[in-house]
Every structure is written in structure tokens, then in C-alpha cells.
Amino acid sequence: NAGVMQNPRHLVRRRGQEARLRCSPMKGHSHVYWYRQLPEEGLKFMVYLQKENIIDESGMPKERFSAEFPKEGPSILRIQQVVRGDSAAYFCASSPLTAGSGGTYEQYFGPGTRLTVT
Amino acid sequence: AQRVTQPEKLLSVFKGAPVELKCNYSYSGSPELFWYVQYSRQRLQLLLRHISRESIKGFTADLNKGETSFHLKKPFAQEEDSAMYYCAFLIQGAQKLVFGQGTRLTINP
């Protein structure tokens, strides 16, 4: 199992451009989470998705950010009209089940995408 | 407020010395707590969780509900323990982890 894959690993965008970050969960995992890590801070939850459904987007900024996890293909975190403050490391995690479902719960993390906005 | 506090950004100890990474949490419910570790050039990975009460790589962590703490301890540090350590808890009824800022642990030879 290759683990959670994220691409690109590094992304440079000019202000006003769009950024698309991709996440392929581990095989057999149907739950995907996105976290953002600003410089000198911990990871902050953004959104939780299952296939074709957004379950919890309470951590997503209200504007310019969107996420999807289609039936086929990777999960995508999309940032429109990027600003310098969007510069951060974006981590994706996946799990095979939900917390509280009776099994041992763990989120497996990808290597992250480092977004730099110039 | 739901928060994890790791008061030390940086911690440096000598090889063979005991190490303790502090973690305090603020949460009104009954949390499930974790320690994650990130070694150099590697991804974040789970080190241990409080419900399993296990020892991984010599590390242990005890949940103290009275002090709302979940400090990570190891009696004899090794050079390979140098890494970034994050304390986190899972919000009950939700699927999101709340992370602390992290502590960079350096073990000096």
C-alpha cells in the first residue's frame, strides 16, 4: 500500500491564480480529511469528505476554498484567486472507518503540498 | 474553546536523559488523545493513542483528566527520537483532529 499520495509536493502560484491540490487516499479508505498548517502553527482541520459528499466543512474559509471527493479519482482542494496568506502546507489524511464506529481509529497522513503564493 | 497547548516549541536533551513533552488540552467533552510524530523528510505518523495505553519506541503518555494533560515521556532518549511531535485530540462525535503547535525535539549526542 503506497500510503496517502499528494501532488504536487510544491506549488507556486501568483496572487489571483487558482491552486489545485490533489489527494489520493490509501487503498480501501473512503474518508478523506484536509488540514492546513500555517508557518509556526499546528495543523488545522479544514474539511472532511466521503465519496461524493462533504460531511464537515466547518474549517473551510467561507470564500475561495472548495473541496471535492468524486466517485472516481482523487480528492481535490481548490483555492481560487490565491492571496499571500494562503501560503501554507496542506495535508491530506485518510481513514478506513469513522471514529466511534467500533474499530481502532487512525488518520493516515500524506506528505503534504507546500503552497507558496508570490 | 477546543485547544491543545504544547508550551515548548523547542526541546533539547542529551542522549540517555529522560524526556518529557508537555501537552495540555481544553475540551468540555471526553477526548480521545493522540501523539503524532514527524521525522525529518517523512510524513506525519501516529506514535500512540491514550485508549490503547501502549508503549511505542519506549514512549508512554498518560491521560490526566484532572490536569487536562497528556504528556509524552521516555526515560532514556535516543538520537533517533529527534523529530517534530504533535499532540492532538479527536472531537467527540466528529471526525476532526485538533492539533497543538508541535514541539521540535532534538537529542544531542
Side-chain angles (χ1 to χ4, degrees):
Chain A
N1 200 327
V4 178
M5 307 292 285
Q6 288 187 251
N7 69 81
R9 294 292 306 278
H10 301 274
L11 182 62
V12 180
R13 284 287 177 265
R14 291 201 181 112
R15 276 180 299 170
Q17 291 185 319
E18 179 180 286
R20 279 184 181 238
L21 289 64
R22 291 175 190 77
C23 168
S24 296
M26 286 179 72
K27 192 175 180 182
H29 290 196
S30 57
H31 307 271
V32 166
Y33 315 81
W34 285 93
Y35 293 84
R36 177 166 66 173
Q37 184 177 33
L38 295 170
E40 306 297 317
E41 294 188 17
L43 283 75
K44 293 221 171 18
F45 170 83
M46 299 181 76
V47 62
Y48 160 47
L49 311 105
Q50 294 179 28
K51 287 279 186 186
E52 300 184 282
N53 280 305
I54 297 174
I55 308 301
D56 181 349
E57 56 181 348
S58 57
M60 288 279 269
K62 294 285 185 277
E63 295 175 349
R64 301 186 298 108
F65 285 71
S66 62
E68 61 175 11
F69 188 18
K71 189 175 179 182
E72 301 291 337
S75 175
I76 307 281
L77 179 67
R78 184 178 173 213
I79 311 172
Q80 293 179 291
Q81 299 175 304
V82 296
V83 301
R84 287 229 172 95
D86 296 333
S87 295
Y90 291 83
F91 291 92
C92 171
S94 72
S95 68
L97 45 81
T98 56
S101 60
T104 300
Y105 180 77
E106 180 175 346
Q107 291 186 15
Y108 297 80
F109 282 82
T113 293
R114 189 163 295 280
L115 173 66
T116 302
V117 180
T118 61
Chain B
Q2 299 160 345
R3 188 172 55 241
V4 175
T5 302
Q6 293 180 250
E8 303 133 333
K9 270 192 168 179
L10 302 169
L11 183 62
S12 184
V13 302
F14 285 103
K15 178 182 168 183
V19 62
E20 182 180 48
L21 288 83
K22 290 186 168 48
C23 170
N24 287 88
Y25 64 91
S26 173
Y27 180 55
S28 56
S30 186
E32 185 172 347
L33 284 141
F34 305 83
W35 275 99
Y36 277 83
V37 61
Q38 188 172 28
Y39 300 103
S40 179
R41 301 184 190 280
Q42 294 186 29
R43 60 188 68 194
L44 202 64
Q45 56 186 284
L46 180 65
L47 179 63
L48 54 79
R49 71 191 90 215
H50 90 269
I51 56 170
S52 53
R53 303 184 67 81
E54 56 198 343
S55 173
I56 303 292
K57 299 185 179 182
F59 284 98
T60 58
D62 290 317
L63 176 60
N64 185 322
K65 290 186 178 180
E67 295 181 0
T68 60
S69 69
F70 188 54
H71 303 326
L72 184 68
K73 299 176 185 178
K74 184 168 182 176
F76 308 103
Q78 297 171 297
E79 287 185 65
E80 54 265 33
D81 296 329
S82 294
M84 195 76 183
Y85 291 81
Y86 294 94
C87 181
F89 72 77
L90 189 68
I91 293 181
Q92 205 171 32
Q95 309 297 322
K96 50 190 169 187
L97 291 167
V98 177
F99 283 87
Q101 286 185 296
T103 298
R104 183 169 297 283
L105 175 66
T106 302
I107 307 301
N108 299 307

